[in-house]
Amino acid sequence: MTTMSIWRRSLWRYRVTTAGIALTSFGAATAIHNPPVAVSVLAATAGCFVSVLEIRANRRRARLVRFQSRDGDDYSDLSSQLSSLGTIVKSAHDVGVVMAKECARLRDQPVRAELETSPYRLPRELRIWSFDFLARRARVAAMYNGDIIGLASDVPSGDEDAAVKLRPGRYFDFFCSNLLAPFDVWGTGRKLPLLRGRELILDQGGKLLTFRRSRLANTIGVSSLAFTADGQLILVAQAKDNVGSPGLIAPSGSGALEPRDVPQDGTGLTLGDIVRRGAERELREECHISEQDIEVSAIVGHGRWVSRGAMPEFCVVTLLQLTSDEVLDRAVRLVERPYVTEVLAVDLAPITRWNPKKPLAMLPQEIRGSASWPLALGLACMAQSILDQSWPLGQELTQRLPAQRERRALREGA
């Protein structure tokens, strides 16, 4: 699907070449028929000429463009601004922020959602670089151009009855907008970049753009932290070619919200229900479990993944009816192997040591350096939620965790 989608875009990118080939084919096909030979020869010559010109022009342009990654950008200059929104969450590779007020709103009361009919369209300033960026990155990444749902407005943080706007789109548009933001586009011989990726997420005053004003697709990321019946947290080791968090340890299920996660009738939509449906779908796909294996799920928070164009990320906590052994005994599905290499089950630190400001400290020492940002976000939101007496899963989750501590004590005693 990825190859075919890129091929279709290539036809549009090289539309003059396509016309030239058509002229060449016309000249060759009609040379022995009614039209004069001179007309056929002229058509074929013209086709070859325009094709060669455009191919050379596009190849020359591609060589003049360079996408420079800002891997060392930790956005430390935004720390004061981000900390005013909520806890800053850092993993070994990325940085983002927990949207504290929005998290509290999502846990306490439903937020209405409305699906827009008009899909997201790449703005011109991004479209001109999209093919080169996509073609180069697609060579080393496992992905497909599926339908996705993006966020077109901000999540309300107060008691107002405002609806969140959801917008359909395509994965390649997300790839060429949010995933382009960590890069700067340079032209050969230029002293200044043609496009600064930071300008895609910051306004002229250097503040984080709202989703309503953002020019990016802002695909809604969803993930789940699933706990087994014996109190272990299920994690997923992602493949190195996975665009999501390549080669890192991710939540139990993580991915992008899709149109199938939105109820077909479109009535009574709430953001929490849609996020839960998407997160549970990703969990079922990546861990090879069924809908009957899931006992209950509840949303715990929302953050912005600043290192990825400040895209929206939502997380839920899920309680499973399976033990850790039952989950680990199931092989990764064939269709998921390009994205998932292994499913893990780990013990978290005792609940008394959960700290929203140090989420990675909740994990075993050996995997902290490989934790993805969505995993760090989920742990931070869960640690905050467990302090919220109104959170519906707080008591049930707490009742499962003592079993894990007892199991650790018995193992250490043996």
Side-chain angles (χ1 to χ4, degrees), residues 181-192:
F183 292 81
D184 294 329
V185 183
W186 287 83
T188 301
R190 287 180 172 267
K191 295 183 179 181
L192 295 175

Side-chain angles (χ1 to χ4, degrees), residues 268-326:
L269 296 182
T270 67
L271 182 60
D273 287 339
I274 295 173
V275 166
R276 177 186 55 78
R277 289 164 62 104
E280 288 186 354
R281 173 183 53 76
E282 292 288 350
L283 171 63
R284 296 195 304 269
E285 292 173 354
E286 297 185 3
C287 294
H288 196 180
I289 64 176
S290 66
E291 189 172 354
Q292 290 70 32
D293 298 325
I294 297 175
E295 182 176 320
V296 65
S297 297
I299 192 167
V300 290
H302 160 49
R304 296 192 66 172
W305 194 345
V306 177
S307 300
R308 289 214 163 178
M311 64 175 286
E313 187 77 25
F314 294 84
C315 47
V316 307
V317 166
T318 300
L319 302 183
L320 301 175
Q321 302 189 50
L322 302 172
T323 65
S324 55
D325 288 337
E326 290 174 323

